[in-house]
Amino acid sequence: MAPPLLRQLRDDPLGLGRAARSKRSERLTPRTATADRVVQSICPYCAVGCGQKVYVKDEKVVQIEGDPDSPISRGRLCPKGSASEQLVNGPSREHKVKYRRPHGTEWEELDLDTAMDMIADRVIATRAETWEQETDDGRPLNRTRGFALLGGATLDTEENYLIKKSFTALGAVSVENQARI
Ligand code: SF4
């Protein structure tokens, strides 16, 4: 048998086929081949909005790849988008609400109902304290500048729609999204 270098030059000069395989890699099956279904989605990380194919097995996300059908990205993902499976399955993903009290130095874990009640109480109180009904010369304002929203790029279109509607209904005038900045 010819030495490995000669075999590669003869059979697989680019090193993309047989030369790159081992006995172990030949036994492996990609997660994309064993998924139950594929769902088209959009990378949540930035405003480019690259198309993604999300591979699902047993109702769990197992792999995310670029979507060749996307006119935006044509199958490509940057390193962040390529790693977005970790956004779902990564061990450092937070599953509990973290709260740091004013002047606190440690994070506390809160249950979701408690956190939502705290947020609602503060929104109501701030709105009442900072409400501006009209200008000094009597023109209507009906607004508060007491709170604002800065959304993240991981919000999807529907979430952004609902957030904008909710904050405008509350009288907030400062509503922005990181993806637009
Ligand atoms: S793959 Fe990269 S460039 Fe594309 S939307 Fe995601 S973060 Fe933005």
Side-chain angles (χ1 to χ4, degrees):
M1 187 183 282
L5 178 62
L6 290 182
R7 267 187 284 142
Q8 178 173 341
L9 289 172
R10 186 188 63 204
D11 302 337
D12 185 13
L14 295 178
L16 297 172
R18 281 181 52 198
R21 288 190 210 136
S22 66
K23 285 203 172 72
R24 175 166 158 66
S25 66
E26 278 177 3
R27 285 198 303 273
L28 296 175
T29 308
R31 289 189 291 272
T32 51
T34 54
D36 299 327
R37 61 195 169 96
V38 186
V39 182
Q40 281 186 305
S41 188
I42 296 172
C43 174
Y45 274 127
C46 88
V48 175
C50 297
Q52 292 186 321
K53 289 182 133 183
V54 181
Y55 292 81
V56 181
K57 185 170 178 57
D58 298 330
E59 293 309 301
K60 293 205 167 77
V61 173
V62 290
Q63 183 63 17
I64 296 178
E65 300 280 338
D67 183 356
D69 292 334
S70 166
I72 307 292
S73 49
R74 292 179 289 166
R76 300 172 181 87
L77 294 173
C78 80
K80 278 199 302 181
S82 302
S84 56
E85 180 265 344
Q86 289 288 300
L87 184 67
V88 185
N89 297 323
S92 56
R93 178 178 175 176
E94 293 291 353
H95 293 271
K96 297 216 168 120
V97 177
K98 299 275 191 197
Y99 175 61
R100 202 174 70 184
R101 292 178 187 281
H103 311 294
T105 56
E106 304 288 335
W107 291 103
E108 299 169 36
E109 283 185 357
L110 297 180
D111 64 90
L112 187 58
D113 286 344
T114 304
M116 294 301 281
D117 285 346
M118 288 166 69
I119 293 167
D121 288 346
R122 288 167 197 208
V123 167
I124 292 166
T126 304
R127 187 173 182 270
E129 282 164 22
T130 60
W131 188 253
E132 296 172 280
Q133 190 72 34
E134 56 186 22
T135 60
D136 292 342
D137 55 358
R139 285 184 291 167
L141 283 173
N142 293 323
R143 72 180 185 191
T144 173
R145 288 178 290 175
F147 51 81
L149 178 98
L150 177 59
T154 50
L155 295 166
D156 60 30
T157 307
E158 291 77 12
E159 288 166 331
N160 277 313
Y161 175 85
L162 290 172
I163 286 169
K164 169 69 176 135
K165 288 283 175 200
S166 309
F167 271 71
T168 303
L170 287 165
V173 288
S174 303
V175 181
E176 188 50 275
N177 189 290
Q178 171 248 321
R180 207 171 75 89
I181 293 174

